[in-house]
Amino acid sequence: MGPVELLHMSVFSQSFSPCGRFLAAGNNYGEIAVFSLSAALSPDASQASQKPILNFTAHDGPVFSLLSTDTHLLSAGNGEISAWSWAELIKKSTKAAWTRKPSYETSLEIPEINAMIINPKDNSLIVGGGDNNIHIMDMETGIFKSVLKGHTDYIHCLCFKEREEEILSGGEDGAVRIWGHTEIPLSHFQTCSGMASQECARPQFGKWISCLATDSDWMLCGGGPSLSLWHLRSMSPTSVFPLPGCQREAVFYQDLIMSVGEGPHVSHCLHGGTVKAQIPCTPSSLNTLALNLKNTEHRVMTVGGSSHQIDVFTNFSYKAFSLSF
Amino acid sequence: MSSDAVKKRKPKVIRNEEGTPETKRGRAEGEQSVEMEERRRQCSVHFITLKKLNRLAHMRLKKGRDQTHEAKQRVDVLHLQLQNLLYEVMHLQKEINKCLEFKSQHEEIELVSEEEFFQEAPAEISRPHVTRDDHHQLTLARLDWELEQRKRLAEQYKMSLARKEKIHKAIEQKREYLSSLQPGLQNIMQASLPVQECLSMPFEQMQKQAEVARHLPPPLYVLLVQAAAYGQACDKTLSASISGDVDEAKALSRPPEDSQDDESDSDAEEEQQNTKRRRATVGVQLDDKRKEMLRRHPLSLCVDLKCKDGSVLHLFFYYLMNLNILTVKTKVSTTTDLSGAVSAGELLNSESLLNCLYASDHGQETPNPTNRYQFDKVGITTFADYVSDLGHPYVWVQKLGGLQFSSDGAQVCVLMGSALSASHMERTMKLLQGRLQARLALHKQFSSLEHSIIPVSGECQHLFPAKVVSGLTLVPVEQELGFVQHVLKAGLLRETDLFFMAVVERGTARLLAAVVVNPRYPEVMPLFSLSLHWKGERSGRTEDNLRAMESEVNVFRAELQGPRPGFQLLTNQIQRLCVCLDVYLEMESQVCDGSEGPKEFPREKMCLRTARGPSRLKPFKYNHPQGFFSHR
């Protein structure tokens, strides 16, 4: 990687290992880098410990989504999903455990996979991507069980409600659809249709939904429209967050909402609708935010975006240091 | 005294006589006259006695004096005699000494030792029966023998002289003969010149050059030899020649003894002069010392590299004697006229033409570490001030001259001298030619870019769609630009880089592209940074799509390079930039709600999807035969 390539690198996805000591990140060149958090957070960390312990090319196209199961790291490239064993990765072996492709209708352009989530109850993998459909794959057998059709434009993000086993999907067409066990969406709603006077709509940006998060009855969604907190049973927005850019990822954390998107900062917001803080970071716009909650020793938040550097926050209020590709 | 006494008595007497004239006159007048007569008689007797005594005394005195005088005379005579004798004694002694010290001339003549004499001399001369006893005779004999020997040798000497004269004359004759041959040879040489040219074996030229080359300083000599060798072997168009003042060079290499004497004399003169006139100021002295330190050798080397299109790169190599480094100055001569491109004036500037031929070889500082100490003595802070006068001391120039300095990187190079020069010659010549051609190509491209025509060569047409609407203007830029800061932070911008701004316009949209061209173009890709003015200002920092456009233009070297040697790189990049702007503007109108009225840029480019991925990038990649746009 020359300095010009590094200058134009973007980090799209991150995932922590099951033990919580390693971080995997995927970039737009199709590479996955594994960083050792324990080395980077130790008191005698140096410049070298902020470099990846392993860096390999996983896919042809950009790696838009990474997901960790108990034993494997799943990465999504151009229309394919690969699994890598964490134990092997830590030993620096780069052989994929398996690679599967969902069946696509068009053959001219291979659609990307933007989001992956796991349904732990029936051990299935749910992926959504560029072909406007959601594919569900059984993890044990590797067969794609079903296809959920309904979106009219490509899917940006997926989210899973554990209690009711419902899948929420947000797409470029501006619709958020809720799917149950059948292939017909339970319900869907458009954040902007018929509600032009809604506070969250922002026509100057567009109508796409690029981030979704749920916390039992509440749902966060944002993108073209402003980031807003919805009450699912009444399907109405309760608070709208006045963040200037388009948000790409948002999570619930304790009683805060943390979101990243356009603009070089992480926004901390309260449920009431106020923006509590905006923490500055290195990349000029952010794509992904990840919280390491599995490991109490290395409880950090990492963000990545339009830069080859990934910022690490040990105290969520300020940036501690940066890992770099 | 007795006369005084007498004279005293006399008045007494008279007085007495006169004293009693009244009382005794009467009675003793008769007695008195007899007494007086008596007394008068006594006086006269006394007087006479006195006189006699006086006379006697005088005579006695005189006699005494005469006696003394006589004695003295006698003593004086004796004294004189004594002195005379003493003088004579001294004189005689001197004479004796003189005689004793007398060195006869014969003693100065070196005589053979006695044994040799007795051995060598014939019996008549040596006469041993006489000479063994008598030293005088021996000496005489030896002197005789000496005389005879000398006479004999003098004879021999005369004969030898005569022979020498004869031989001398013979030599002179032969010399005349040879010198009469010289003009004949010259004529032959002149006549053979056309033959030499015909056969392209310029012996005479080479001989002349070899003559002059003897006076070159060693690094220039190595360079000349290696360049000529390379030219003969690999590149027939390369030519090397020597220029400069040969006499001065000869003067520099004169033996030092003469000059030392001259120096001491001239120092003495100078000192005398200095006391008379005012001393030069310290600044002028320092200046002179500096000039002396930076002095160039009078001879310089000129190497001409010709390229296929007829343009020539002239390299002038100079040797700085006190600093022991080589410097180079360049000049480009082309077959076509190059004026026209305003912004491209920097490209062929002789100061910066050869910058960074090898990475980070700026040629502003001297590569010889000892020069640092020399500069400190005369107060030169940086060599960069003198570079425009003296030429650039690039590291590759030192290597071509066989000069190796310990500061050259961490490699321990075992090669020295000619081997070092030979190992670098080919690569450097190729780089130089490549550099000239790249710059000329760039110059041509710039002059057409300034007229808003992007010269895309035929081989590269497949990279771009048929219709590109955006138009270009090229502007040289000096000031700081905000959207270039990220390049500065990444350390990709250096002083030696050339900096331009291209403006691509379509409709109301204006795209500013700041271009950083490394001197080693096309080995190093030019770097573009974008800023779009359309409904607000966006840059590659704020918007992902512009960043994707930047990466489309900056990163994909293999696609944009075109055919070897890759001179089309910049024009292809600019063409691609125009294509990307078209795509951006046309796709943008699709995404926003068309609440503002008719779209400004109707969609003309074919693509399958307008947005893809979490950052919703536009399709910037052009697929050739199918002619549609897709995402990377």
Side-chain angles (χ1 to χ4, degrees):
Chain A
M1 283 276 128
V4 179
E5 279 87 358
L6 278 180
L7 201 62
H8 294 283
M9 187 183 289
S10 300
V11 173
F12 281 113
S13 51
Q14 303 173 82
S15 177
F16 289 99
S17 63
C19 53
R21 295 202 318 261
F22 296 91
L23 171 69
N27 69 8
N28 59 329
Y29 296 117
E31 296 177 340
I32 296 179
V34 178
F35 297 88
S36 163
L37 276 178
S38 36
L41 289 169
S42 72
D44 53 349
S46 63
Q47 278 280 6
S49 49
Q50 287 162 6
K51 288 267 167 194
I53 58 169
L54 175 64
N55 189 342
F56 64 99
T57 309
H59 297 277
D60 285 334
V63 180
F64 287 131
S65 174
L66 284 175
L67 185 62
S68 272
T69 61
D70 291 332
T71 49
H72 283 75
L73 174 71
L74 302 172
S75 66
N78 256 357
E80 60 180 11
I81 305 162
S82 302
W84 319 79
S85 157
W86 267 113
E88 297 287 312
L89 284 178
I90 292 168
K91 281 191 256 166
K92 304 198 186 166
S93 139
T94 62
K95 192 161 174 329
W98 47 259
T99 309
R100 306 271 150 73
K101 291 196 180 78
S103 53
Y104 294 117
E105 288 147 9
T106 61
S107 55
L108 200 54
E109 193 179 353
I110 305 171
E112 78 281 16
I113 294 174
N114 282 326
M116 292 194 291
I117 47 173
I118 285 217
N119 183 348
K121 296 235 173 81
D122 59 355
N123 203 13
S124 60
L125 179 70
I126 305 154
V127 300
D131 64 339
N132 310 352
N133 301 329
I134 302 172
H135 300 259
I136 303 178
M137 182 186 97
D138 185 44
M139 289 283 281
E140 280 171 29
T141 57
I143 302 172
F144 284 90
K145 297 192 291 198
S146 50
V147 177
L148 304 175
K149 299 190 193 189
H151 276 279
T152 51
D153 210 338
Y154 75 95
I155 295 167
H156 272 275
C157 45
L158 291 172
C159 183
F160 191 67
K161 272 177 70 177
E162 302 234 342
R163 220 174 43 194
E164 292 96 350
E165 283 188 50
E166 285 168 358
I167 302 167
L168 284 95
S169 63
E172 179 77 9
D173 53 3
V176 176
R177 290 175 187 257
I178 307 180
W179 313 78
H181 289 271
T182 64
E183 290 190 3
I184 303 165
L186 280 178
S187 60
H188 78 275
F189 53 93
Q190 296 266 91
T191 50
C192 303
S193 67
M195 304 182 237
S197 56
Q198 280 278 349
E199 310 90 57
C200 42
R202 291 191 294 195
Q204 72 272 24
F205 286 120
K207 53 184 181 175
W208 76 91
I209 306 289
S210 56
C211 69
L212 275 180
T214 53
D215 184 21
S216 61
D217 287 330
W218 300 94
M219 180 190 79
L220 270 178
C221 73
S226 320
L227 184 68
S228 41
L229 187 63
W230 291 65
H231 191 235
L232 278 174
R233 260 182 273 140
S234 55
M235 300 290 192
S236 58
T238 47
S239 28
V240 176
F241 299 98
L243 293 167
C246 306
Q247 303 306 305
R248 299 224 182 99
E249 189 148 350
V251 293
F252 285 97
Y253 176 66
Q254 293 173 356
D255 53 352
L256 280 180
I257 290 164
M258 297 208 258
S259 86
V260 293
E262 281 178 9
H265 42 252
V266 176
S267 313
H268 291 211
C269 314
L270 298 169
H271 284 240
T274 47
V275 176
K276 184 175 139 200
Q278 293 199 308
I279 321 291
C281 355
T282 346
S284 52
S285 69
L286 294 164
N287 289 329
T288 161
L289 178 143
L291 287 168
N292 191 9
L293 299 168
K294 293 176 207 166
N295 188 329
T296 46
E297 275 175 23
H298 306 311
R299 203 169 65 90
V300 296
M301 173 170 78
T302 55
V303 296
S306 320
S307 161
H308 63 99
Q309 290 183 314
I310 299 171
D311 285 346
V312 177
F313 295 71
T314 43
N315 174 332
F316 294 172
S317 309
Y318 58 85
K319 174 194 115 171
F321 58 91
S322 304
L323 303 165
S324 68
F325 256 79
Chain B
M1 264 189 292
S2 54
S3 56
D4 289 342
V6 169
K7 280 178 190 158
K8 270 187 196 157
R9 255 191 271 152
K10 234 175 138 170
K12 256 187 211 172
V13 169
I14 298 171
R15 241 188 252 131
N16 277 336
E17 292 180 349
E18 289 174 346
T20 55
E22 289 89 23
T23 51
K24 297 178 178 188
R25 249 192 232 183
R27 84 178 199 28
E29 272 194 27
E31 270 170 27
Q32 270 181 1
S33 47
V34 171
E35 217 177 311
M36 272 182 60
E37 287 289 331
E38 192 65 48
R39 293 255 164 113
R40 274 203 198 116
R41 255 190 284 136
Q42 275 180 350
C43 273
S44 331
V45 170
H46 286 317
F47 276 132
I48 291 165
T49 326
L50 262 175
K51 275 194 177 168
K52 186 181 148 191
L53 285 174
N54 191 21
R55 194 170 42 234
L56 280 175
H58 276 298
M59 278 172 67
R60 219 180 14 238
L61 189 66
K62 190 168 166 231
K63 212 160 87 176
R65 275 199 184 143
D66 285 340
Q67 275 177 339
T68 319
H69 191 68
E70 236 178 276
K72 225 164 97 171
Q73 290 267 34
R74 273 206 308 269
V75 167
D76 279 342
V77 164
L78 284 172
H79 199 67
L80 264 171
Q81 278 182 342
L82 173 66
Q83 279 190 334
N84 282 343
L85 286 172
L86 278 175
Y87 279 143
E88 216 176 308
V89 163
M90 217 161 63
H91 179 72
L92 284 172
Q93 262 190 341
K94 269 196 205 155
E95 291 285 311
I96 291 168
N97 281 341
K98 240 197 324 193
C99 284
L100 282 176
E101 282 171 10
F102 173 73
K103 279 198 181 354
S104 160
Q105 265 193 341
H106 88 274
E107 288 182 17
E108 287 166 14
I109 303 172
E110 283 178 17
L111 300 170
V112 296
S113 67
E114 285 186 33
E115 297 85 29
E116 267 185 64
F117 164 71
F118 279 124
Q119 273 171 5
E120 286 175 2
E124 321 95 46
I125 300 183
S126 66
R127 288 175 289 137
H129 51 278
V130 176
T131 51
R132 284 209 192 268
D133 303 327
D134 192 352
H135 187 74
H136 175 69
Q137 291 297 324
L138 174 64
T139 321
L140 282 174
R142 282 168 79 185
L143 284 170
D144 280 335
W145 172 236
E146 192 70 24
L147 179 67
E148 219 184 284
Q149 275 196 318
R150 284 196 185 193
K151 275 192 200 153
R152 207 164 17 101
L153 289 171
E155 279 288 326
Q156 277 183 348
Y157 174 69
K158 261 189 229 149
M159 276 180 9
S160 315
L161 261 180
R163 236 192 2 232
K164 179 180 150 196
E165 278 302 317
K166 260 196 286 182
I167 294 173
H168 219 57
K169 277 199 194 107
I171 290 173
E172 278 304 318
Q173 273 182 342
K174 288 193 182 145
R175 268 215 188 115
E176 271 178 39
Y177 176 62
L178 278 175
S179 56
S180 74
L181 282 182
Q182 172 82 328
L185 279 175
Q186 286 280 24
N187 289 339
I188 294 175
M189 290 262 284
Q190 289 290 336
S192 75
L193 267 178
V195 178
Q196 277 180 25
E197 276 173 30
C198 198
L199 294 175
S200 61
M201 288 193 293
F203 285 125
E204 193 182 331
Q205 242 187 358
M206 278 166 32
Q207 259 188 339
K208 268 199 211 141
Q209 210 174 36
E211 246 312 299
V212 180
R214 277 197 299 140
H215 298 287
L216 281 175
L220 281 182
Y221 186 73
V222 168
L223 183 55
L224 174 68
V225 166
Q226 292 299 324
Y230 175 77
Q232 270 192 341
C234 308
D235 183 7
K236 299 277 184 268
T237 57
L238 188 149
S239 71
S241 61
I242 308 175
S243 57
D245 195 347
V246 185
D247 293 327
E248 264 191 63
K250 282 191 197 153
L252 280 172
S253 57
R254 226 190 293 151
E257 296 94 38
D258 298 346
S259 52
Q260 267 180 9
D261 288 341
D262 290 344
E263 271 177 31
S264 56
D265 287 343
S266 60
D267 278 346
E269 284 173 20
E270 260 184 47
E271 278 176 30
Q272 287 172 7
Q273 281 179 6
N274 269 340
T275 52
K276 286 180 196 165
R277 64 156 188 239
R278 210 161 41 92
R279 270 191 177 235
T281 56
V282 177
V284 174
Q285 273 182 349
L286 205 60
D287 227 15
D288 291 337
K289 276 195 210 153
R290 268 187 221 144
K291 279 198 197 117
E292 180 60 35
M293 174 144 298
L294 297 172
R295 208 151 70 108
R296 290 211 279 230
H297 195 272
L299 293 175
S300 65
L301 208 55
C302 173
V303 176
D304 293 337
L305 281 170
K306 291 193 188 56
C307 300
K308 290 193 193 86
D309 62 349
S311 45
V312 183
L313 176 67
H314 302 281
L315 297 166
F316 301 98
F317 293 97
Y318 301 99
Y319 178 62
L320 298 181
M321 298 185 288
N322 293 319
L323 300 179
N324 194 28
I325 52 174
L326 290 170
T327 61
V328 67
K329 276 193 176 183
T330 60
K331 198 169 86 103
V332 176
S333 58
T334 50
T335 48
T336 56
D337 183 24
L338 277 182
S339 63
V342 171
S343 52
E346 277 297 303
L347 287 178
L348 292 173
N349 184 359
S350 62
E351 291 282 311
S352 59
L353 179 62
L354 295 181
N355 261 351
C356 298
L357 198 65
Y358 290 86
S360 71
D361 187 1
H362 300 289
Q364 294 295 323
E365 274 301 324
T366 156
N368 186 356
T370 51
N371 294 152
R372 182 73 258 148
Y373 302 103
Q374 288 170 303
F375 287 163
D376 284 342
K377 268 196 248 173
V378 295
I380 297 176
T381 41
T382 53
F383 190 66
D385 304 332
Y386 301 94
V387 156
S388 45
D389 270 340
L390 299 171
H392 294 265
Y394 293 112
V395 175
W396 55 268
V397 176
Q398 319 305 324
K399 290 220 168 92
L400 286 185
L403 293 169
Q404 170 83 349
F405 300 113
S406 50
S407 59
D408 285 347
Q411 295 172 313
V412 176
C413 193
V414 187
L415 305 170
M416 279 295 290
S418 318
L420 178 66
S421 174
S423 64
H424 281 83
M425 176 65 68
E426 184 167 1
R427 182 147 177 252
T428 310
M429 289 299 156
K430 288 210 161 59
L431 279 176
L432 283 168
Q433 275 183 329
R435 170 63 64 94
L436 177 67
Q437 283 178 326
R439 288 289 169 99
L440 285 174
L442 204 56
H443 196 100
K444 243 187 351 177
Q445 287 166 2
F446 266 87
S447 40
S448 74
L449 282 173
E450 278 191 353
H451 294 108
S452 308
I453 303 168
I454 306 175
V456 180
S457 73
E459 304 98 3
C460 307
Q461 280 294 344
H462 66 276
L463 293 172
F464 311 109
K467 185 169 173 207
V468 176
V469 186
S470 308
L472 168 81
T473 52
L474 196 67
V475 168
V477 74
E478 304 287 334
Q479 81 251 37
E480 294 273 315
L481 292 163
F483 54 91
V484 185
Q485 293 303 319
H486 67 290
V487 175
L488 283 169
K489 264 195 243 170
L492 292 167
L493 184 63
R494 276 184 208 100
E495 256 185 30
T496 45
D497 295 338
L498 306 162
F499 207 28
F500 298 98
M501 177 118 95
V503 179
V504 184
E505 284 174 324
R506 185 177 170 181
T508 55
R510 211 161 158 258
L511 179 68
L512 299 168
V515 187
V516 176
V517 179
N518 192 293
R520 286 171 64 213
Y521 173 87
E523 282 164 24
V524 176
M525 273 183 92
L527 207 59
F528 283 70
S529 312
L530 302 176
S531 160
L532 180 65
H533 294 261
W534 181 56
K535 297 186 187 165
E537 186 176 334
R538 321 160 202 201
S539 80
R541 309 301 106 236
T542 54
E543 179 157 333
D544 282 325
N545 272 306
L546 281 177
R547 190 160 181 260
M549 275 166 71
E550 281 180 1
S551 99
E552 190 73 22
V553 169
N554 286 337
V555 173
F556 300 100
R557 190 204 167 87
E559 293 172 13
L560 289 168
Q561 196 171 285
R564 289 205 73 210
F567 296 146
Q568 302 298 323
L569 190 53
L570 185 65
T571 45
N572 287 350
Q573 279 181 310
I574 294 178
Q575 183 75 329
R576 182 169 272 195
L577 187 66
C578 296
V579 170
C580 289
L581 182 65
D582 277 346
V583 170
Y584 181 94
L585 293 172
E586 287 167 17
M587 304 296 162
E588 182 80 9
S589 330
Q590 293 294 320
V591 173
C592 277
D593 267 337
S595 49
E596 300 139 12
K599 299 181 185 110
E600 189 182 348
F601 303 106
R603 184 145 149 216
E604 286 163 20
K605 304 277 187 293
M606 272 199 347
C607 65
L608 295 170
R609 286 170 63 180
T610 52
R612 188 180 192 259
S615 35
R616 304 175 63 249
L617 295 175
K618 302 198 162 97
F620 290 118
K621 178 179 168 191
Y622 178 69
N623 298 307
H624 172 56
Q626 301 93 344
F628 68 95
F629 286 86
S630 61
H631 292 85
R632 288 222 176 246

